[in-house]
Amino acid sequence: MCHRRFFNQISAGGVFLAFSLAALPALALDPAPAAAPAHTSTVTVFAAASLKNALGEAAAAWKAKTGEEISVSYAASFPLARQIEAGAPADIFIGADEESMDYLAGKSLVKPESRKDFLSNDLVLVAPTGGPDKVELTVAGVTGALKDGRMAVGDPASVPAGKYAKAALTKLNIWDAVQNRLALADSVRSALLYVSRGETPLGIVYLTDAKAAAKETKIVATFPENTHAPIRYPIALTATAKEPAGKFLAWLSGPEGAPFFTKQGFGVLPAK
């Protein structure tokens, strides 16, 4: 039986944070900012949290193929961008929105010729496996499924999935009814954990996250594409990237890397 945790209210606006979540092995996030790689030749990637499963498998395959180590730090996109701005030793950045990449590009912290839109994703509403099988994307449908609970979403102030969630809920005229009933998370994977542990009856995550936790959660609705901006994952070398990083980026975003992402439900965007 899932053990429910209590949330600590930190603002009158209804922003809640879980006290502590021991990460599930398949969904674990790096708890600390990226540290300097152990070897100067190690390629360091800063990547959106939703890429953990796919990128972890791809990095292992690259090491098996070349013997070269790939160090990956996962978190919400904008905090990672700010770490790069502060001098964190990243060679490749993969965000979950254009805004985070634009932020780095505006400060000349990525190599513009290496930037490309890499992946796409979808936005879904999930519930624990014991929850409803379907939820109508209306005020009555969502609030009825929430009952006395809260909805887990990434914090719209810093998490791309949260920005997409707010846009979709606003477009569907649901935002005003639920904005004070949210459990805001520091990444989309944290929001997924709230739902997978039964701490919230609903959550908004990417399709790929829902697939990664298919044993603990189920998709109860898919947000129409016209309710939010297209979900795009841009990739680029940082301005200080080491030489091996270019080879890994080319492999990762090419035909050999694509299956690791399509397996998880990402769309691989054609090269331009």
Side-chain angles (χ1 to χ4, degrees):
M1 182 176 68
C2 291
H3 296 284
R4 294 185 177 274
R5 307 232 197 284
F6 295 94
F7 295 103
N8 178 34
Q9 189 171 9
I10 62 171
S11 78
V15 179
F16 281 72
L17 295 173
F19 280 145
S20 126
L21 287 167
L24 296 172
L27 304 176
L29 294 177
D30 292 351
H39 306 287
T40 56
S41 60
T42 299
V43 172
T44 301
V45 181
F46 277 20
S50 51
L51 292 167
K52 182 171 180 60
N53 295 64
L55 188 54
E57 291 184 6
W62 176 258
K63 182 177 180 181
K65 176 183 175 70
T66 66
E68 297 174 359
E69 191 76 34
I70 303 296
S71 174
V72 189
S73 182
Y74 302 95
S77 300
F78 192 69
L80 288 176
R82 293 297 299 270
Q83 286 186 40
I84 292 172
E85 181 186 20
D91 299 297
I92 296 172
F93 176 66
I94 314 174
D97 65 351
E98 299 287 356
E99 184 178 352
S100 298
M101 187 66 80
D102 288 343
Y103 180 82
L104 291 176
K107 295 180 178 294
S108 300
L109 293 173
V110 294
K111 296 181 179 180
E113 70 279 5
S114 71
R115 178 178 176 174
K116 65 179 76 173
D117 282 341
F118 178 27
L119 304 168
S120 63
N121 213 333
D122 293 308
L123 195 69
V124 299
L125 185 69
V126 293
T129 52
D133 292 327
K134 183 178 180 181
V135 174
E136 294 292 334
L137 292 175
T138 62
V139 171
V142 172
T143 58
L146 283 176
K147 298 180 180 178
D148 295 328
R150 299 185 178 275
M151 183 159 58
V153 298
D155 187 345
S158 59
V159 181
K163 297 176 185 178
Y164 295 126
K166 181 177 179 180
L169 292 171
T170 300
K171 181 74 172 181
L172 294 168
N173 298 314
I174 301 172
W175 176 255
D176 289 344
V178 300
Q179 63 176 318
N180 292 326
R181 302 183 62 185
L182 302 179
L184 296 190
D186 61 3
S187 74
V188 67
R189 282 302 178 93
S190 294
L192 180 64
L193 280 172
Y194 294 170
V195 183
S196 67
R197 289 177 171 272
E199 295 171 356
T200 63
L202 293 176
I204 300 177
V205 299
Y206 296 128
L207 171 64
T208 52
D209 298 301
K211 288 189 172 185
K215 292 182 179 179
E216 298 87 17
T217 67
K218 57 185 174 182
I219 297 171
V220 295
T222 299
F223 289 92
E225 292 183 358
N226 65 0
T227 62
H228 56 80
I231 300 172
R232 298 287 184 264
Y233 288 68
I235 186 172
L237 296 171
T238 65
T240 57
K242 298 184 290 292
E243 177 60 31
K247 296 178 182 178
F248 179 64
L249 187 153
W251 177 86
L252 188 69
S253 59
E256 290 185 79
F260 296 102
F261 298 95
T262 56
K263 172 185 173 183
Q264 299 293 333
F266 288 98
V268 176
L269 300 173
K272 294 182 180 180

